[in-house]
Amino acid sequence: MRPVGFIADDITGATDLASALAKRGLDTRFAFGTTAVPDDGGDAIVVALKIRAVPAAEARAAATEAAKALLAVGAEQLFSKYCSTFDSTADGNIGPVADALIDMTGARRVVHCPSYPANGRTVYLGHLFVGDQLLSESPMRDHPLNPMRDSYLPRLLAAQTQRGVASMRLSVLDAGSEAIASCLNEITEQSVGAHHVVADAVRDADLDAIAYATTGDGLAAGGAGYGAAFAAAAHARAGHRTADTGQRPVPPPGPTAMLAGSLSGATREQVQTFDGPTLTLGVIDLVDGDHAVQRSLEFAEHRLAEGPILITTDHDSVGIRAGATGLSRAQAARRIETAMGRIAVGLTKLGVRRLIVAGGETSGAVAEALALRSARIGPDITVGVPWLVVDDRKLAVAFKSGNFGGPSFFRDAVKVAGP
């Protein structure tokens, strides 16, 4: 059985997927970028890119290179992993990336399923729900990079591709595997050229049913839940027995530090709940960079021996990013990310062996600054957030999407890592 290759559009999404794959008992390899794709087998290979918010042409090129690298090490099936909240406006990258992979592989259809019931993301009648709210009425409505003002996924996807977009309703799933196969075959046979299919799913069992019906497909797309089900179904159909889910590496012992760049409500609450030494950095200092880095490392140097520390952005000053700094919002954000990456590098030089990062963009910047290449999947802190044990040094990292985790997430991470 050859590995299933996954292309994830950001770091936190990639770790979420890797966690879901490991829970299924799949021997999962994790690569930070295309150049680090391992060639030592495994059941699944996850390539973490940073293409969610870049121009579409750049995203297409990066995804294509990742696909080539995965195919070169033996993957025969590819999966485009994106966020379960379908973070992608009309100018976004979900459609263009899927189209690029269609062009490369010659796939006749791509089934899309962002549903992730374990995290409250479901699709019904083509509409995406976040908990009991429509996507367009959830906090994602005001996302700074991808404001989601529409919940109807076929319409969102149709704005991003010139290929046809069809739907598969929950009633088809409820009718059983033969009905699912018949629906998909009918769409494929009646289509001129490749077609995108958006599938409803409200239960974990729905993901398994869709995965079983598409297990022979060379290309699929969606969230971590469907991705893990897709790979598990492929291996099950091939008669491949998965590994013992309990055999995961543990983080190395040593000092622990947290970096919180996310401005989500969940991360704010987690910062407020943390009762250890905390340094809050203002936006102006972070944009300047040097001062923030110096303050952070001086703060850490005198406290790391006492226990875990937290360094966070000033969550109340986001409004001045584009004003008082004299920079655009994007320029200010990039400087802040660069500063957080430099802080992470400095922390590891001070002896930090366990590093927790909150926020998708911050996570990407930290991974880039640390020049991470590959890792193994360690124990889960919460749904979608595992520890990653880096292969080439004594370091474990945990990359958390802003909205993931409960109020005690930081303390939970320390507890899971062990003594």
Side-chain angles (χ1 to χ4, degrees):
M1 179 69 200
R2 295 184 180 275
V4 178
F6 292 87
I7 302 167
D9 64 358
D10 77 345
I11 293 284
T12 55
T15 59
D16 182 10
L17 170 63
S19 172
L21 289 164
K23 282 183 179 178
R24 293 270 185 162
L26 297 167
D27 182 13
T28 304
R29 306 288 194 269
F30 191 97
F32 295 90
T34 300
T35 60
V37 173
D39 59 0
D40 59 346
D43 301 327
I45 304 173
V46 179
V47 179
L49 302 179
K50 192 181 178 185
I51 60 173
R52 182 174 297 175
V54 304
E58 184 178 338
R60 285 175 60 98
T64 299
E65 287 304 308
K68 290 178 180 178
L70 287 165
L71 295 174
V73 297
E76 293 182 341
Q77 293 172 285
L78 298 177
F79 190 98
S80 175
K81 194 279 174 191
Y82 49 77
C83 186
S84 57
T85 49
F86 208 82
D87 295 14
S88 188
T89 61
D91 297 324
N93 296 333
I94 290 177
V97 166
D99 282 343
L101 297 177
I102 288 173
D103 293 339
M104 182 177 179
T105 62
R108 286 291 312 280
R109 72 182 182 211
V110 182
V111 174
H112 293 258
C113 187
S115 291
Y116 199 173
N119 272 341
R121 276 64 161 167
T122 56
V123 178
Y124 179 64
L125 298 180
H127 289 80
L128 178 56
F129 287 81
V130 178
D132 59 359
Q133 292 180 307
L134 283 166
L135 175 67
S136 57
E137 297 174 4
S138 75
M140 288 298 299
R141 174 181 176 82
D142 298 315
H143 191 281
L145 297 178
N146 293 309
M148 304 307 297
R149 305 294 172 81
D150 190 357
S151 304
Y152 190 57
L153 299 188
R155 184 166 51 233
L156 284 170
L157 187 55
Q160 302 175 25
T161 177
Q162 295 183 350
R163 290 185 164 98
V165 179
S167 299
M168 184 166 65
R169 299 299 191 219
L170 189 64
S171 58
V172 175
L173 273 64
D174 289 341
S177 58
E178 290 186 5
I180 298 172
S182 177
C183 175
L184 292 176
N185 289 337
E186 183 178 347
I187 291 171
T188 304
E189 291 169 2
Q190 292 182 355
S191 302
V192 178
H195 224 73
H196 299 278
V197 183
V198 176
D200 283 2
V202 299
R203 301 154 297 208
D204 288 337
D206 297 334
L207 302 181
D208 289 330
I210 299 167
Y212 180 80
T214 58
T215 187
D217 290 6
L219 179 62
Y226 176 40
F230 181 78
H235 283 276
R237 176 165 286 189
H240 177 243
R241 183 172 297 177
T242 55
D244 180 356
T245 57
Q247 300 300 314
R248 296 207 205 175
V250 296
T256 301
M258 299 100 164
L259 291 176
S262 169
L263 295 170
S264 71
T267 299
R268 293 184 190 212
E269 186 176 15
Q270 290 157 3
V271 167
Q272 293 168 356
T273 302
F274 180 71
D275 58 1
T278 302
L279 172 66
T280 300
L281 298 171
V283 170
I284 299 297
D285 286 342
L286 283 162
V287 168
D288 174 66
D290 291 342
H291 182 57
V293 173
Q294 181 179 352
R295 282 187 63 199
S296 298
L297 299 185
E298 289 176 352
F299 170 81
E301 187 174 14
H302 296 96
R303 293 171 176 83
L304 279 173
E306 302 171 9
I309 66 166
L310 170 64
I311 299 173
T312 179
T313 55
D314 181 0
H315 290 79
D316 294 325
S317 61
V318 64
I320 68 170
R321 282 188 179 180
T325 63
L327 302 172
S328 70
R329 189 184 187 91
Q331 289 172 327
R334 182 55 187 161
R335 288 202 185 183
I336 291 170
E337 293 163 18
T338 299
M340 295 296 263
R342 291 174 59 194
I343 292 169
V345 171
L347 289 172
T348 60
K349 290 180 178 179
L350 290 176
V352 167
R353 294 293 176 261
R354 300 168 174 183
L355 183 64
I356 303 155
V357 186
E361 297 303 312
T362 306
S363 294
V366 167
E368 183 178 352
L370 291 173
L372 300 180
R373 290 184 54 78
S374 62
R376 292 164 292 153
I377 314 305
D380 289 321
I381 301 168
T382 189
V383 175
V385 189
W387 278 106
L388 299 178
V389 180
V390 178
D391 285 329
D392 62 358
R393 70 196 82 167
K394 291 183 178 180
L395 177 67
V397 292
F399 295 120
K400 184 190 86 72
S401 178
N403 290 312
F404 278 24
S408 61
F409 173 80
F410 291 124
R411 284 297 178 192
D412 293 343
V414 174
K415 183 177 180 180
V416 168

